[in-house]
Amino acid sequence: MVRFMKLLTRDERPPGEEPVSDLVPELEVSRAKRVRVLLAAACAPLLFSFTTIAAVLAVVSFTADRSRFSATGALLSAGPGWLASWQVEIDLGGHPLGVLPLMPTLVVGWLVARAAARAARRGGGRTPADAIPVVTVIAGSHALFGVLVALLAGGSPVDVNPLTAFCVPGLLAGLAAIAGVAKGCGLPAAVRDRFDPVAVQGLRAGGLGLAALIACGAVVFTTATAFSWSTVDGLFEPGFGASFGLFVLSVAYLPNAVVAALSFTTGPGFSVGSLTVGMFGYQEGKLPGVPLLAGVPSHHAVWWPALLLLPALVGALVGWRIRAIDDDPMLRMRAVAVAGALVAFGCVVLGTLSGGRLGDGPFDPVSVPVGVASVIAFCWIVVPGGFVAFFAGAHDAPEPPGEPEVEEDLAEPEEDEPVEEESEPEAEEPAEDVDEAPAEDEAEPEPETEPEQDGAVDDAVTDSTDGSGDESTPGDDR
């Protein structure tokens, strides 16, 4: 037993290569296993997302009224549906479809991020360099699959630009893969080391502000839909097939509606064809008969500007988050500016992805004023956030107002030195006896008292002329 324990605990390293810590080193992953892991990360989200989209389209087609179900048609439509889930604009019989649902994009992005995180963990990825193969393989596979679908769709009523089908899925899949491997491969720590700490704090506060603005849009949309529930119920048809299709369509475009509500809450608003809904303006127009749009108001209301309190509170929240990052108010203001820039950029991305062309009919286009919305979102973060961050944070303590007066008081005794000379007559009294002065000097040999009595002795000597010779004798003896 003892021999067996010695074999287990024996150190196989040669002398001089002892471990510097008690941590057990992980086994190196073989090249073959790493290749298998990368292939699984590239193919698994592709197959799962394509199969899911094909299944959803097949169920909608099967349950729809007055329609003939075809498995081949469901499979053929799954390719353009997969491209639409990656925000690739498609052309249906010469009519552009650019306003694409964001919910499938979020789902497939989550699948890619999860597959990337699993691949990095199984492949032993611990550094940012280990994340490069995972991100590259996933982005490349989605780009190639998008080109393949675009080429196979050629000659059919569905037309897709191959270059767009290559770039957009590859870019979005790469970003999703980066988000998945970020934590496991130490990307946040690498970013913190390379960026200014104040800028990093501003980015964190900006992410919080963007999430809070999206939450405000969700609250406004949910409230408007709840107050219009009778309209929502009336838009669903009695048959299960049509109602199920409208339900799936509303869920798919739910994030688009939240972004539109966010733009309305901050001020700029949104438009669907000729209909324009803004905080300070309204233009009537037609709307599609979709339950998701039941909460869109039919006329302007005077109380709408009260909703501007929500983005103001979000800006104050960002400022409150930044107030304690540094004692210098100017550094806090710079962090607020970084947070506002991130929120403005996020509004540009969300507004661009939420809108687009909707055929050539009366509902074309669906848009959010991206430029105006980004500038206004930046102001909503910087103005109230800067005010809170500046005044709620620490400041340098002011100088005490009494210090200059204290210095003047300390300087006054130097000007009043002649007053001390008035006490010289008191020092002349011991000068009457000339012999006492040398005796006092001999009795006090400490040098510390000599400066105090030098003035008195010198005055006594100058006032008495008879004792001048006697004082020289004690000085010579010493």
Side-chain angles (χ1 to χ4, degrees):
M1 184 66 180
V2 175
R3 184 178 180 182
F4 180 71
M5 294 300 297
K6 287 182 178 180
L7 291 175
L8 292 177
T9 58
R10 184 176 60 182
D11 191 358
E12 299 294 339
R13 297 181 181 85
E17 297 185 4
E18 290 79 6
V20 296
S21 64
D22 295 334
L23 297 178
V24 179
E26 297 182 358
L27 297 178
E28 184 179 357
V29 180
S30 63
R31 185 184 300 271
K33 182 178 179 180
R34 185 176 288 110
V35 171
R36 291 196 302 269
V37 168
L38 292 178
L39 288 177
C43 298
L46 279 175
L47 296 176
F48 188 81
S49 59
F50 184 84
T51 305
T52 303
I53 292 173
V56 171
L57 293 178
V59 171
V60 172
S61 177
F62 180 76
T63 57
D65 299 334
R66 298 182 299 274
S67 64
R68 296 177 60 184
F69 172 74
S70 172
T72 304
L75 289 176
L76 292 177
S77 61
W82 184 88
L83 290 177
S85 67
W86 286 108
Q87 298 297 312
V88 178
E89 183 177 352
I90 58 179
D91 191 276
L92 300 175
H95 302 285
L97 178 59
V99 51
L100 301 171
L102 281 177
M103 183 62 76
T105 306
L106 297 177
V107 173
V108 295
W110 177 76
L111 291 175
V112 168
R114 186 177 179 182
R118 186 186 300 110
R121 183 173 61 254
R122 294 179 60 187
R126 294 295 181 269
T127 62
D130 298 332
I132 296 178
V134 178
V135 176
T136 303
V137 168
I138 291 178
S141 63
H142 282 74
L144 293 177
F145 189 76
V147 172
L148 179 61
V149 172
L151 294 177
L152 292 177
S156 65
V158 179
D159 188 18
V160 182
N161 186 357
L163 181 60
T164 306
F166 176 83
C167 296
V168 177
L171 176 61
L172 295 181
L175 294 176
I178 291 175
V181 302
K183 184 177 181 180
C185 294
L187 294 181
V191 171
R192 286 194 300 267
D193 294 340
R194 293 181 178 271
F195 281 82
D196 185 13
V198 176
V200 173
Q201 294 292 338
L203 292 176
R204 290 179 177 177
L208 175 64
L210 183 60
L213 285 179
I214 294 175
C216 292
V219 169
V220 172
F221 169 77
T222 304
T223 304
T225 305
F227 280 102
S228 305
W229 186 252
S230 59
T231 306
V232 174
D233 187 34
L235 290 175
F236 281 104
E237 297 185 7
F240 173 78
S243 299
F244 181 73
L246 289 175
F247 175 77
V248 172
L249 184 66
S250 299
V251 172
Y253 280 94
L254 181 60
N256 303 62
V258 172
V259 174
L262 164 63
S263 180
F264 171 76
T265 305
T266 54
F270 60 94
S271 63
V272 180
S274 60
L275 174 67
T276 302
V277 181
M279 187 66 67
F280 301 98
Y282 186 89
Q283 183 177 353
E284 294 183 359
K286 295 182 179 180
L287 280 175
V290 181
L292 183 70
L293 302 177
V296 177
S298 58
H299 59 276
H300 184 269
V302 182
W303 59 268
W304 284 356
L307 296 175
L308 297 176
L309 182 62
L310 295 177
L313 292 177
V314 172
L317 175 64
V318 172
W320 187 261
R321 170 67 175 77
I322 295 177
R323 80 190 190 284
I325 65 172
D326 198 277
D327 293 339
D328 189 358
M330 293 298 103
L331 292 181
R332 297 198 297 269
M333 297 299 293
R334 191 174 69 178
V336 171
V338 173
L342 179 62
V343 171
F345 179 74
C347 290
V348 170
V349 174
L350 292 176
T352 303
L353 295 178
S354 299
R357 298 291 305 275
L358 187 58
D360 298 319
F363 310 122
D364 178 48
V366 178
S367 63
V368 171
V370 175
V372 179
S374 62
V375 173
I376 292 180
F378 177 81
C379 295
W380 279 123
I381 297 299
V382 171
V383 176
F387 183 85
V388 173
F390 186 86
F391 291 101
H395 291 77
D396 295 336
E399 297 182 358
E403 286 186 357
E405 299 178 359
V406 173
E407 294 179 356
E408 294 179 358
D409 295 340
L410 294 176
E412 288 180 358
E414 296 180 358
E415 299 177 358
D416 298 336
E417 287 180 357
V419 179
E420 295 180 357
E421 295 179 357
E422 297 178 358
S423 61
E424 291 181 357
E426 299 178 359
E428 293 178 357
E429 296 178 359
E432 296 178 358
D433 191 356
V434 181
D435 296 334
E436 293 179 2
E440 294 177 358
D441 293 339
E442 294 177 358
E444 297 178 0
E446 296 181 1
E448 297 178 357
T449 57
E450 288 181 1
E452 298 179 358
Q453 296 182 0
D454 285 343
V457 173
D458 293 340
D459 294 339
V461 172
T462 53
D463 291 340
S464 177
T465 57
D466 296 336
S468 60
D470 297 337
E471 289 181 0
S472 61
T473 304
D476 293 339
D477 294 340
R478 287 189 300 223

